[in-house]
Amino acid sequence: MNFFVIADVHGCLHTLRELLTHWRPAEEILVQLGDLVDRGNYSPETVELCRQLSQDFPDKTVFLKGNHDWGMAEHLGPDGPYKAWLAWGGKGTLQQYQRHRAWLPLHAAWLAARPLAWEDEHIAFSHAGFADVPNPLDPNCPDGVLWRRGALRNTGRRQVVGHTPTGNGRPRFDPAANAYYLDTGAVFGNCLTALRFSETGEVLEIVAVPTHPEDIYFFEELL
């Protein structure tokens, strides 16, 4: 089974919908690398779309947790509030949920339940990647799979990550780590990109959709 992999969406609903028209559910597993919420204009609708896809295609979808998703779940969960999240997009996201108030607890619980990583013998997916640290799956580890910004570790598997924008609107490959970086800056007006991988981790196709203008709303936190 091949993979159709999408990184940071950040509330860019219309762009995501267009990109999903290229997904082939009959022959591909959809993998989303986290950060569905914050900064874009349609965080609630984006989460609801992905939640529905996870229910409709339970064996053909993998939705991972990003640091923004984790922040929302922490803020609204039993250990909240997590006020730091409000400064990196959470304030605007909560404003958007005023139009879908009934979704908020449901979405927070669904995001909290997302796994941090998915891997097999050939390929490893996570939000920010596995580095040479003792506890990469600790969500509070600053160099773990939710937060890492530096070089990744070559694990023997191909890594595919988002989190760190590539800067030029195109996926970036790091041969030393055998890692693909797939956050092509959709929320900053570049594009949302999918990589189509074979089951052994070879890139078959790059599919990029320019960000729809209506998806972008530059909240005060981005200034």
Side-chain angles (χ1 to χ4, degrees):
M1 186 70 66
N2 293 340
F3 299 99
F4 189 77
V5 189
I6 302 171
D8 304 49
V9 179
H10 285 300
C12 293
L13 175 71
H14 301 84
T15 313
L16 175 62
R17 281 177 172 164
E18 182 178 347
L19 187 57
L20 286 172
T21 65
H22 298 271
W23 172 42
R24 304 163 183 164
E27 57 193 67
E28 295 172 333
I29 295 174
L30 171 66
V31 181
Q32 201 284 321
L33 301 173
D35 278 6
L36 295 177
V37 302
D38 295 347
R39 298 179 172 170
N41 219 10
Y42 295 95
S43 287
E45 295 86 353
T46 298
V47 176
E48 182 62 14
L49 171 61
C50 294
R51 191 185 71 85
Q52 290 291 339
L53 286 174
S54 72
Q55 291 185 341
D56 295 342
F57 300 92
D59 299 324
K60 294 295 183 70
T61 56
V62 176
F63 290 96
L64 300 181
K65 188 183 298 180
N67 60 306
H68 286 260
D69 310 317
W70 177 84
M72 176 174 161
E74 284 289 293
H75 184 73
L76 297 167
D79 297 326
Y82 179 62
K83 293 184 179 180
W85 170 66
L86 299 175
W88 16 283
K91 180 180 177 182
T93 294
L94 290 178
Q95 290 173 354
Q96 292 174 16
Y97 270 97
Q98 292 302 303
R99 60 184 184 248
H100 296 292
R101 294 184 183 184
W103 286 355
L104 188 56
L106 177 66
H107 287 183
W110 185 78
L111 291 173
R114 296 308 90 212
L116 292 173
W118 186 98
E119 61 185 353
D120 63 15
E121 61 182 315
H122 299 293
I123 192 164
F125 302 107
S126 66
H127 181 60
F130 289 88
D132 193 12
V133 296
N135 300 302
L137 293 174
D138 179 354
N140 293 294
C141 174
D143 285 312
V145 297
L146 286 181
W147 305 98
R148 177 68 175 178
R149 291 291 190 189
L152 300 180
R153 178 167 57 93
N154 192 323
T155 65
R157 296 176 175 88
R158 172 149 291 169
Q159 290 204 61
V160 187
V161 303
H163 186 55
T164 299
T166 61
N168 62 2
R170 296 190 297 271
R172 178 172 69 87
F173 180 64
D174 177 3
N178 190 19
Y180 276 95
Y181 290 81
L182 191 50
D183 180 357
T184 53
V187 77
F188 300 113
N190 294 327
C191 58
L192 187 63
T193 304
L195 285 178
R196 183 167 273 130
F197 287 95
S198 73
E199 60 184 9
T200 57
E202 300 305 313
V203 175
L204 303 175
E205 187 179 4
I206 301 172
V207 184
V209 171
T211 306
H212 288 222
E214 62 266 42
D215 285 337
I216 305 170
Y217 184 91
F218 288 101
F219 291 109
E220 182 181 357
E221 295 92 342
L222 291 182
L223 300 178

